[in-house]
Amino acid sequence: FFEVLNSHLFLTSRIIDSLIIATGSSSITLLISIYASYSLSRLNIKLRSFLIFSIISSRMMPLISIAIPIYFIYEKVNLIDSYLGIILVHAFINLPLAILLLKSFFDEIPKQIDENAFLDGANRIEILHKIILPSTVGGLSVTFILSFIFSWTEFICALMIGQMNIKTVPVQASILKTIP
């Protein structure tokens, strides 16, 4: 174990790769999920139940069922073995959980606060940024941390997309062989 941690390549390159990927994907996930979950929580959207069911269903889908098609698409657009490619896949994987999690935090804030701010002249974006987000800092933190952890530990897509130059810690750990 200590030989692995003392390895210069493992410490510097793979941990930095994992930090870049997990931070980037968590940031994108949080940014998109804030607006999506606020819309699901506050706006009167037709077929809201169907949208929530679709989000839950996409989270239950096995990852391997999308890994191979994503590989072929990424091969055509030159995203194989790139940070952006892995970041986008991890953001896509984490998005359903983040949307549902933030929606539950936004649902806890009374809608009367939005209505009062709207009567005072604020628009929806101002209400979200000045009232709702400061009230749910804990929920935003939890969502970011969970997305970060799930991105850090994701293995299948990181293995398929990050082939030669970019490897996350789990992928590199699976490659290492223990020598007695």
Side-chain angles (χ1 to χ4, degrees):
F1 177 73
F2 292 107
E3 291 175 16
V4 171
L5 289 180
N6 288 331
S7 167
H8 185 273
L9 177 66
F10 183 80
L11 274 180
T12 57
S13 179
R14 303 314 172 213
I15 291 177
I16 290 172
D17 287 350
S18 292
L19 281 172
I20 291 169
I21 291 166
T23 303
S25 69
S26 300
S27 300
I28 291 172
T29 299
L30 191 63
L31 183 68
I32 294 171
S33 64
I34 284 171
Y35 295 105
S37 57
Y38 180 74
S39 299
L40 283 174
S41 176
R42 294 296 200 245
L43 301 179
N44 291 326
I45 301 172
K46 292 182 181 179
L47 303 172
R48 179 189 322 220
S49 299
F50 177 73
L51 283 173
I52 293 172
F53 177 75
S54 299
I55 291 169
I56 292 171
S57 298
S58 67
R59 182 65 183 166
M60 289 188 283
M61 183 174 44
L63 189 56
I64 195 66
S65 66
I66 64 167
I68 295 170
I70 286 175
Y71 177 82
F72 288 121
I73 292 169
Y74 275 21
E75 194 174 46
K76 292 206 185 289
V77 294
N78 252 355
L79 286 177
I80 297 293
D81 209 17
S82 69
Y83 287 115
L84 181 61
I86 300 173
I87 287 171
L88 290 176
V89 168
H90 285 189
F92 173 74
I93 293 167
N94 290 327
L95 206 51
L97 176 70
I99 290 172
L100 294 175
L101 189 60
L102 280 179
K103 181 190 175 305
S104 69
F105 284 110
F106 291 159
D107 286 345
E108 293 295 319
I109 298 173
K111 291 183 181 179
Q112 289 79 14
I113 294 174
D114 292 15
E115 294 167 1
N116 290 340
F118 192 68
L119 288 175
D120 288 339
N123 59 29
R124 294 244 182 237
I125 299 295
E126 290 174 336
I127 293 170
L128 174 64
H129 286 258
K130 293 181 179 177
I131 299 171
I132 303 297
L133 291 181
S135 301
T136 57
V137 171
L140 296 172
S141 302
V142 166
T143 304
F144 184 86
I145 290 169
L146 281 176
S147 296
F148 187 91
I149 291 170
F150 290 148
S151 179
W152 184 280
T153 60
E154 197 280 324
F155 180 77
I156 295 172
C157 289
L159 177 65
M160 290 181 70
I161 296 168
Q163 292 184 343
M164 297 302 290
N165 297 326
I166 299 173
K167 288 184 177 71
T168 59
V169 171
V171 172
Q172 184 66 35
S174 73
I175 295 170
L176 295 174
K177 294 181 181 179
T178 53
I179 301 171

